[in-house]
Amino acid sequence: MVLPRARQIRARARQRRPRTGQVRAGLSAALAVALGIGLLGAGPPKPASAAEGELTVDLGKETGAFHGGASGSLYGLYGQDVPTNNLIEGMNLRTVSTKAQDGPQHPGADALEVVKPIADSTDGDVYIYMTDIHRGFPYQWEGDTPAEKMRIYQEKIAKQVDQVRKLPAKYQDNIVFVPFNEPEGNMFGTGKWSYNGTSWLDKPDDYFAAWDDVNRLIKDKMPDARIAGPNTSVLFNQVEGFLKHTVQAGTVPEVMTWHELSHPEQIRTSVRKYRGWEKKVFAGTAHEGTELPVNINEYAYNYHTSVPGQMIQWISAIEESKVDADIAYWNIDGNLSDSAVQSNRGNGQWWLYQAYGSMTGRTVQVNPPSPGENYTMQGVASLDRKKRQARTLFGGSDGGGHITFDHVPDEVFGDEVHAWIREIPWTGQIGDSARPRLIAERDVKVRDDGSVAFDFGDDGMPALKESSAYEIVLAPGGRDTGTSAPTTRWEAGYEAEDAAHTGSGYSKNGPEGSPSDVAKFYTSGGHDVGGLRTGSDVKLDFTVDVPEDGTYDLSVFANSLNTFDKVKEQGPTNVFLTVDGGAEQELSLPLGYKWVVWDHTDTTVKLTKGKHTLSLAAKSLDGKRATKGDAIVDRLKLSRPDPKAQKAVYEGELAALDGGRPVYDQGGMTGAGAAEIKEGDSATFWVYSPADTESTLSLATRGAGQAQLSVNGQDALHVTPSAKKVAASLSGGINKVTVTGKSGTTLIDHLAAERTSKALQPTVYQAEDAELAGSAEPAKLSLADDGSAVRGIGGKPGNGNTATFRVKADEAGLYAMRVRYSNPEQSEATHYNPDPLARPADISVNGAEPRRTLFPHTFHENNFWEQTVPVRLKRGSNTIRFSAEELPNFDGTSYASDTFPGILLRSRHAPVLDKITLARFAKRP
């Protein structure tokens, strides 16, 4: 959250996007004034020269234990399943800052409802913004006098602490209290809702007294409570005085917090400044020599979030400073601050943080081409001597790149390294991403000077992309092991603003986000194109040139605002894709919660070698069909996958190990070696699936040991030397596949995943064929599976509005129930954050106690997603009933709809159901 003036700026930015290509100017300058900061280093990025593309990783200079602190999120969790624990654990989420339990500021993200998923997944901490018990921002605290305001607020704080005390003890330990948020612009600023119209930055006594009173109130109730502050919008110089006061008063916070919303280099500057104050203030006191934990619990801006090449610059500064930090909340909650897509998918940013969270051991010095300069190539690297692996992440520049590892330790790697080189591309704010693309895998001799180097834009590797981040992993090489070839043989991108166009209504929009306008969203090429809308005849022609005959993957990066008038009628905007004026396909372009929030629609096209014209048109070739809606287009991405690369291979030595160890003295394996696990040890792989569907998982192992393979927490295969393959129902997006040792020793060479379709025999049940009760009724929706879905399930507590499916199972056991649904419910916001609601479904099998599952917002009733829910069925006939009702507040008796009438905070309704598909969860093929 930011200062009130900046909030007003954000609110204006939410208004209808200009449709004529006019430039929206002045936002960043106003923001800088509002925040009281300068956008340092915010000029246009310099073109990368050879020298500027040289980054050196010095494996001989360690800089401390790997911390992982950049993996935090403000309002990143909505509730159980949104996002899934897979996404939380996979990106190693350390901290989440969120609203007070039952607070009215946003739907979802209640502190005591999100502590369980993060604590269970990563043992991460929840920072409770206690001030977010108020509806508005600036915080509209009650009371007519300063004394009355503080009394009422302290009552609210006392209630929040009492709520935490009711949690199981193991979850209480994951709570950190944040009593005041940005006090200089809120309760102790000069605005309408201030304490007494005086800013604490000028006269701090009232704020200091309030801090002391609240600190003692919390400690009286929970002596071991952790309290964080002052939580200012920037690291004001007055924070030094705050620190001095708390030492004198005995109210030093357990965690120091502030926000950095300007640029990455400010992180380094501010942390150095704070550590200097701390050393000086603590000298001669009981705190002397202490370094308090720091959480910069709001960082980065719209231009940065979701873009791996931007976020790696923040990560490098945060990791170098050894602090925690939470990515800011500019858009919707529950998506890990623009990392998560739907409930269980990740975009490029998620995969960046997954790679970052995979680092272990100690960090090492990275010498970038332009130290301390924003919007240039930056990086972070680690060396784990025990695992005999080095990892580096870098990015932020276009063109050639020369990456050197110096002082490669012979005792760790020998005279040859095995290298995996991957690209983590930008896939849009809400665009699903496959796992990072393998660029190259090779053995490389260590030079006589102890270095190895890799050249991008040469040596058979593509040039760097400014929007991408890159990962290089080193392990011992030269062990007679096999390597994988890149899965993509060729790819190219084509900007919409460069396409030829015909027809009326065309617009070129922008410039969009840039280093000098970070409040706007990142857009490839800086511009996008409009005109594909209801009533238009616009056609965009993209000239492409491909290297060989074959089937190509095509992604159209596009966006429609879900609440825009022309979009409300149908939802996704339909357009017509043709190749050279024929071979027509109708595509549905994706929706978003704001304009210029990019997703991608994917398809395939058959092309012969040479030039072709790919066209997007608002009318079909026969003129009988036309676009409904209004879409903007950013770019096309065209790629040629290797037809032989059907299996995705996950190397055992790169898995996340709990116990066990990598081994490299085995020949005849893939990669650099294997993972050795014994009884109680485990190896976890994060496996991507493009859909909720069957895949065959195959383990390549050695040894006489036995193990258990589980998929998303469900047992799928007892692994023995003769049983290494299983067909499993994977969820779309990220799947946690874990191999746990049961007896003996097992060497895991790799896990392979291949999409299959014959082993699990899915059965489809349409929702309109279910037994409907109460207000549940069929609804005609054009994008439903057969043109019809069911709405009206749920309502007030005790309602009888249900849908019951009667299903058959050939045998008893665990089944994957793939629910195709939509969810259009959205609360009216009082701020710049759109407020979509997750809808609950209480799912009861054969009359048993229902299990509640949350289904995230799909941006429109006619926009359907799929989500897998495991269910246990008996052989023969079974019933699966969907119901819903509003859940009570934390006290179990009151309801948000009664406490805050007219403010939609908890949904009463189940999602709109299109169909369910049932398949065995796992089976040996």
Side-chain angles (χ1 to χ4, degrees):
M1 296 172 188
V2 293
L3 292 174
R5 172 60 180 161
R7 282 268 177 162
Q8 296 167 12
I9 296 167
R10 300 286 76 69
R12 289 201 299 271
R14 293 182 63 241
Q15 297 173 4
R16 178 181 296 183
R17 172 175 173 76
R19 310 303 301 148
T20 59
Q22 70 188 66
V23 176
R24 293 165 295 162
L27 187 57
S28 293
L31 174 63
V33 172
L35 292 178
I37 58 175
L39 297 178
L40 303 181
K46 298 185 298 185
S49 66
E52 289 172 336
E54 294 179 0
L55 180 143
T56 301
V57 178
D58 191 338
L59 295 179
K61 291 185 179 179
E62 296 182 356
T63 58
F66 173 71
H67 186 65
S71 296
S73 176
L74 176 66
Y75 272 83
L77 306 183
Y78 188 101
Q80 189 69 51
D81 305 317
V82 181
T84 61
N85 284 20
N86 285 353
L87 294 189
I88 297 170
E89 182 180 352
M91 73 176 284
N92 194 31
L93 188 70
R94 283 176 57 94
T95 56
V96 61
S97 298
T98 198
K99 76 172 187 181
Q101 180 66 32
D102 304 327
Q105 193 163 124
H106 303 281
D110 296 85
L112 307 190
E113 294 171 31
V114 305
V115 66
K116 184 178 187 299
I118 188 174
D120 290 350
S121 299
T122 63
D123 197 28
D125 287 335
V126 171
Y127 284 67
I128 301 179
Y129 273 29
M130 305 182 86
T131 44
D132 286 19
I133 198 66
H134 301 100
R135 169 64 174 168
F137 187 95
Y139 302 117
Q140 299 168 359
W141 55 340
E142 298 93 333
D144 295 326
T145 65
E148 188 177 16
K149 289 177 181 179
M150 278 308 305
R151 177 184 60 78
I152 295 173
Y153 184 49
Q154 287 181 6
E155 290 173 357
K156 294 178 184 291
I157 285 180
K159 181 178 179 181
Q160 292 181 49
V161 178
D162 288 341
Q163 289 174 331
V164 171
R165 293 170 63 198
K166 294 179 182 178
L167 290 175
K170 65 177 182 178
Y171 295 132
Q172 292 183 35
D173 292 341
N174 296 92
I175 296 295
V176 182
F177 295 104
V178 185
F180 301 99
N181 177 44
E182 296 180 351
E184 73 286 347
N186 279 285
M187 295 172 164
F188 293 92
T190 59
K192 175 182 177 182
W193 300 98
S194 71
Y195 177 76
N196 59 4
T198 301
S199 172
W200 81 269
L201 297 176
D202 300 321
K203 296 182 179 180
D205 290 351
D206 292 328
Y207 171 55
F208 289 172
W211 170 267
D212 293 343
D213 289 345
V214 168
N215 187 287
R216 290 166 183 144
L217 185 159
I218 295 172
K219 293 288 189 177
D220 283 347
K221 288 179 174 288
M222 288 185 65
D224 294 329
R226 287 181 290 160
I227 302 174
N231 232 62
T232 47
S233 59
V234 297
L235 187 68
F236 295 104
N237 289 333
Q238 289 88 337
V239 172
E240 182 182 8
F242 168 82
L243 195 61
K244 289 179 181 177
H245 167 79
T246 62
V247 170
Q248 296 166 357
T251 57
V252 175
E254 279 67 33
V255 186
M256 284 296 297
T257 54
W258 69 86
H259 306 159
E260 297 287 3
L261 299 173
S262 52
H263 53 83
E265 183 55 25
Q266 190 62 44
I267 297 280
R268 295 182 175 93
T269 301
S270 293
V271 173
R272 283 195 299 266
K273 180 188 291 186
Y274 167 71
R275 291 300 185 200
W277 294 343
E278 189 179 60
K279 185 176 182 180
K280 181 172 62 174
V281 171
F282 286 173
T285 75
H287 298 278
E288 185 169 11
T290 300
E291 284 194 347
L292 295 178
V294 168
N295 188 344
I296 299 171
N297 53 0
E298 297 186 27
Y299 78 89
Y301 228 99
N302 278 329
Y303 176 69
H304 310 119
T305 59
S306 86
V307 188
Q310 295 295 327
M311 295 305 288
I312 184 58
Q313 300 178 63
W314 290 92
I315 289 173
S316 66
I318 292 164
E319 182 61 37
E320 181 182 313
S321 302
K322 303 300 181 187
V323 298
D324 289 340
D326 296 348
I327 310 170
Y329 164 46
W330 296 114
N331 298 303
I332 61 176
D333 64 356
N335 76 344
L336 294 170
S337 300
D338 300 332
S339 303
V341 176
Q342 301 179 24
S343 63
N344 191 55
R345 298 175 181 269
N347 60 16
Q349 177 170 287
W350 186 88
W351 284 105
L352 170 65
Y353 280 86
Q354 196 281 323
Y356 170 60
S358 298
M359 289 182 165
T360 54
R362 300 182 68 80
T363 51
V364 295
Q365 184 170 311
V366 175
N367 299 308
S370 302
E373 186 174 334
N374 296 297
Y375 307 106
T376 61
M377 184 193 294
Q378 302 291 330
V380 61
S382 65
L383 173 64
D384 190 323
R385 291 178 175 270
K386 185 177 180 181
K387 293 178 71 173
R388 301 175 69 188
Q389 291 177 10
R391 294 173 179 262
T392 187
L393 289 164
F394 63 94
S397 67
D398 277 321
H402 184 77
I403 312 302
T404 300
F405 291 82
D406 273 344
H407 302 108
V408 177
D410 178 72
E411 71 277 11
V412 175
F413 295 100
D415 61 2
E416 192 169 354
V417 298
H418 190 96
W420 292 267
I421 305 166
R422 300 187 180 97
E423 178 191 5
I424 306 173
W426 175 65
T427 57
Q429 288 81 359
I430 49 177
D432 180 39
S433 175
R435 68 175 184 149
R437 181 169 74 95
L438 181 66
I439 294 174
E441 182 182 348
R442 58 183 64 162
D443 280 343
V444 181
K445 288 286 186 182
V446 180
R447 297 167 175 167
D448 292 341
D449 64 359
S451 70
V452 294
F454 304 91
D455 287 305
F456 289 80
D458 197 0
D459 195 22
M461 294 197 297
L464 300 174
K465 300 172 189 171
E466 171 262 343
S467 61
S468 295
Y470 296 84
E471 178 187 37
I472 299 178
V473 181
L474 303 183
R479 300 307 198 271
D480 187 29
T481 56
T483 59
S484 297
T487 55
T488 300
R489 292 160 60 149
W490 174 90
E491 73 169 21
Y494 304 89
E495 298 296 338
E497 61 268 28
D498 295 335
H501 62 89
T502 57
S504 60
Y506 170 89
S507 64
K508 178 180 176 181
N509 303 313
E512 304 295 356
S514 69
S516 58
D517 205 347
V518 294
K520 295 181 184 178
F521 291 104
Y522 181 91
T523 298
S524 178
H527 291 80
D528 54 88
V529 164
L532 296 170
R533 65 172 66 94
T534 302
S536 89
D537 58 353
V538 163
K539 182 161 71 79
L540 305 177
D541 293 328
F542 297 81
T543 299
V544 305
D545 192 350
V546 299
E548 61 182 338
D549 297 355
T551 299
Y552 287 75
D553 291 335
L554 175 67
S555 293
V556 181
F557 281 69
N559 166 254
S560 293
L561 175 60
N562 66 322
T563 56
F564 191 61
D565 289 344
K566 287 184 172 64
V567 177
K568 285 181 181 179
E569 178 184 357
Q570 177 175 268
T573 299
N574 63 308
V575 298
F576 303 92
L577 167 70
T578 58
V579 178
D580 298 326
E584 187 174 55
Q585 299 181 49
E586 186 171 4
L587 303 180
S588 293
L589 299 186
L591 300 171
Y593 44 79
K594 294 179 183 178
W595 285 115
V596 205
V597 172
W598 301 109
D599 193 353
H600 51 86
T601 292
D602 303 324
T603 187
T604 60
V605 290
K606 290 185 177 180
L607 301 173
T608 57
K609 180 180 178 180
K611 291 187 177 182
H612 296 274
T613 300
L614 303 184
S615 301
L616 297 176
K619 288 188 177 180
S620 63
L621 289 174
D622 60 12
K624 295 180 179 180
R625 293 169 296 159
T627 288
K628 290 183 180 178
D630 194 348
I632 54 176
V633 179
D634 181 22
R635 63 168 178 154
L636 301 188
K637 180 182 176 183
L638 194 63
S639 62
R640 169 73 164 137
D642 189 332
K644 299 177 182 178
Q646 298 297 317
K647 293 183 179 180
V649 175
Y650 300 81
E651 295 294 344
E653 65 272 28
L654 300 183
L657 300 179
D658 184 0
R661 65 188 182 100
V663 293
Y664 305 100
D665 55 355
Q666 307 290 318
M669 290 190 169
T670 61
E676 179 187 84
I677 62 170
K678 298 181 180 181
E679 183 178 355
D681 299 336
S682 67
T684 294
F685 304 87
W686 298 103
V687 175
Y688 172 76
S689 176
D692 294 69
T693 190
E694 173 190 322
S695 285
T696 295
L697 303 177
S698 304
L699 276 174
T701 66
R702 289 183 184 178
Q706 298 188 25
Q708 184 68 44
L709 183 147
S710 65
V711 177
N712 298 328
Q714 306 290 341
D715 288 345
L717 176 68
H718 183 69
V719 181
T720 68
S722 61
K724 303 180 182 182
K725 183 181 292 188
V726 65
S729 293
L730 298 189
S731 295
I734 311 301
N735 294 268
K736 181 183 180 182
V737 179
T738 301
V739 183
T740 303
K742 292 300 181 184
S743 64
T745 299
T746 301
L747 290 182
I748 304 171
D749 177 13
H750 66 259
L751 171 74
E754 181 178 12
R755 187 169 177 176
T756 53
S757 60
K758 296 181 179 179
L760 301 181
Q761 298 300 315
T763 304
V764 175
Y765 298 87
Q766 297 292 343
E768 61 270 23
D769 295 333
E771 296 176 5
L772 306 181
S775 63
E777 61 180 6
K780 296 295 182 183
L781 292 168
S782 63
L783 296 181
D785 184 55
D786 60 353
S788 184
V790 169
R791 62 161 74 105
I793 301 169
K796 293 182 178 181
N799 72 82
N801 307 320
T802 62
T804 302
F805 294 85
R806 295 194 176 275
V807 304
K808 292 184 177 180
D810 292 337
E811 53 186 305
L814 185 66
Y815 285 74
M817 180 173 66
R818 301 164 189 149
V819 182
R820 191 169 193 262
Y821 79 97
S822 69
N823 171 10
E825 196 161 15
Q826 187 162 325
S827 182
E828 185 175 351
T830 61
H831 30 69
Y832 55 83
N833 301 99
D835 273 343
L837 274 74
R839 281 188 165 185
D842 295 318
I843 302 170
S844 174
V845 179
N846 296 323
E849 187 71 20
R851 169 191 166 179
R852 172 154 286 212
T853 299
L854 288 179
F855 292 81
H857 191 262
T858 66
F859 309 129
H860 197 278
E861 188 178 48
N862 199 31
N863 194 40
F864 291 91
W865 295 344
E866 203 162 48
Q867 187 165 317
T868 293
V869 179
V871 293
R872 288 198 174 273
L873 302 179
K874 64 183 181 180
R875 183 178 180 182
S877 297
N878 296 264
T879 61
I880 301 176
R881 188 186 69 182
F882 284 75
S883 61
E885 62 181 42
E886 180 185 353
L887 280 186
N889 293 322
F890 188 79
D891 59 17
T893 57
S894 64
Y895 288 85
S897 56
D898 296 327
T899 307
F900 304 104
I903 302 173
L904 189 58
L905 295 173
R906 296 181 189 269
S907 179
R908 295 175 170 176
H909 303 285
V912 177
L913 296 182
D914 180 17
K915 64 179 180 179
I916 63 171
T917 302
L918 287 168
R920 286 292 304 272
F921 188 84
K923 182 179 180 181
R924 288 182 61 182

